[in-house]
Amino acid sequence: MRARQWLCRSEEETAAAGREIAHSLSRDAVVHLIGDLGAGKTFLARVIAAELGADPREVASPSFAIVHEYPVAGGAPVIHIDGYRLTENRREWLEIGIPELLAGPGVKLIEWPKRAFEEFEDAHVEITIRVRDDGAREIMVASL
């Protein structure tokens, strides 16, 4: 995926950006969603997952469960991980199965990713969401 940027002044524009992003992802992409609390990471994850074939009603912030799997008919599930509550303790990551999830099939959407997750990834797409003073969202996508 090449670097891209969107300025979204509404949920509809954000959803359109999310659908475009979904179509540009490889089938096993690891996606880091970066942004402040309330920036729209889960909203964007919901749009991407839905565009990939998951039920959007299933997509919620994974904060309490840490990991959600969303089935996709005829394909690998979309994995949604929330690193916010994870500590820097690698043993915790191993117990949850983070390395296997990141190496496994399907698109992996990670909110609040730990930089050390990168050791379990070949590469990732980084999506940064910044809320402007006027409430618009700047969405920047880069492959790393």
Side-chain angles (χ1 to χ4, degrees):
M1 164 176 244
R2 62 184 176 86
R4 266 310 294 278
Q5 188 167 332
W6 291 264
L7 176 60
C8 303
R9 299 184 190 283
S10 66
E11 280 192 359
E12 293 79 20
E13 289 179 355
T14 302
R19 288 189 296 274
E20 192 173 330
I21 292 166
H23 287 285
S24 68
L25 295 173
S26 69
R27 69 172 195 227
D28 295 326
V30 176
V31 179
H32 290 194
L33 294 160
I34 312 292
D36 292 336
L37 195 62
K41 296 179 296 298
T42 300
F43 179 85
L44 197 60
R46 181 176 300 114
V47 170
I48 292 169
E51 195 65 19
L52 295 174
D55 183 343
R57 296 170 299 187
E58 299 283 319
V59 181
S61 176
S63 293
F64 297 105
I66 299 177
V67 176
H68 286 256
E69 271 190 45
Y70 309 119
V72 172
V78 173
I79 309 295
H80 192 188
I81 301 170
D82 191 334
Y84 186 77
R85 288 191 2 211
L86 290 176
T87 67
E88 297 296 331
N89 183 340
R90 290 172 187 267
R91 187 204 291 312
E92 178 185 27
W93 304 351
L94 295 173
E95 289 171 1
I96 293 170
I98 297 294
E100 293 82 8
L101 288 169
L102 295 178
V107 170
K108 282 70 72 173
L109 303 171
I110 308 171
E111 296 186 37
W112 305 102
K114 304 289 187 205
R115 280 292 163 204
F117 283 1
E118 292 176 14
E119 89 177 59
F120 308 117
E121 308 166 356
D122 291 331
H124 69 266
V125 174
E126 190 162 288
I127 300 174
T128 304
I129 306 170
R130 188 176 80 75
V131 181
R132 294 176 13 149
D133 290 341
D134 63 2
R137 269 49 178 183
E138 290 179 359
I139 300 173
M140 290 136 313
V141 178
S143 295
L144 302 172

